[in-house]
Amino acid sequence: MAKTHNPARTLWLELQKSISPKRLSPYTDTADKDELDSLGRYFWNIALCEAMYPSLQCVEISLRNAMNYAIHRHTKNAFWFDDPTLLGPNEISKVGRAKTELVNHGKRIEPGRVVAELTFGFWTSLFAAPYEHTILM
């Protein structure tokens, strides 16, 4: 008897090859009827992540603007991110990369542009212990 082609199984096996079985294991369940159940959970997770992106973007923009405003007000320096006594080496490097990106895109180095170019990771790193007495006043 000829085997029937199961597209869901084929897709699942290809995903496992490209993504890894370990990464996909949380989407499987012993009660699954077939791989289609696991695929459904995997793609549902992607859809949920996409749905959260606008909210996360608003949080990121609000956080960076609030932090920039507070630090600027505290230091009385719009270019506070250029002060080597304020930031550690990792954050100074991130500021340098942000400026390089601006220059590469033909944009001027202005405080608002640098602030917008800095990553969410940069801003969250400012909540670390080393900044407790310099930035988190």
Side-chain angles (χ1 to χ4, degrees):
M1 186 188 283
K3 285 187 175 181
T4 58
H5 177 67
N6 182 339
R9 177 150 181 76
T10 301
L11 179 56
W12 185 251
L13 293 173
E14 289 301 315
L15 276 172
Q16 283 185 322
K17 276 198 277 186
S18 62
I19 297 174
S20 89
K22 186 175 182 173
R23 171 74 176 98
L24 292 172
S25 66
Y27 302 99
T28 62
D29 189 297
T30 55
D32 287 351
K33 193 169 75 175
D34 59 24
E35 287 83 1
L36 200 54
D37 292 338
S38 299
L39 280 171
R41 277 191 293 281
Y42 178 73
F43 288 117
W44 178 245
N45 184 61
I46 291 171
L48 290 174
C49 291
E50 288 173 348
M52 290 176 55
Y53 186 75
S55 298
L56 180 60
Q57 186 179 33
C58 287
V59 168
E60 178 179 357
I61 291 168
S62 298
L63 176 71
R64 78 168 184 232
N65 288 341
M67 290 183 72
N68 177 59
Y69 176 76
I71 298 167
H72 176 192
R73 194 175 70 194
H74 175 73
T75 62
K76 297 177 181 29
N77 179 4
F79 285 89
W80 60 265
F81 42 79
D82 284 337
D83 183 347
T85 64
L86 201 58
L87 298 176
N90 193 35
E91 287 70 32
I92 290 171
S93 175
K94 289 177 182 180
V95 170
R97 284 195 297 271
K99 288 179 175 182
T100 299
E101 279 298 307
L102 291 173
V103 170
N104 288 346
H105 288 97
K107 297 180 180 177
R108 293 181 4 183
I109 305 293
E110 298 170 343
R113 290 183 192 264
V114 174
V115 165
E117 190 67 32
L118 290 165
T119 66
F120 194 40
F122 170 86
W123 296 104
T124 59
S125 72
L126 299 184
F127 287 103
Y131 297 112
E132 189 173 337
H133 299 290
T134 58
I135 291 179
L136 301 176
M137 29 291 157

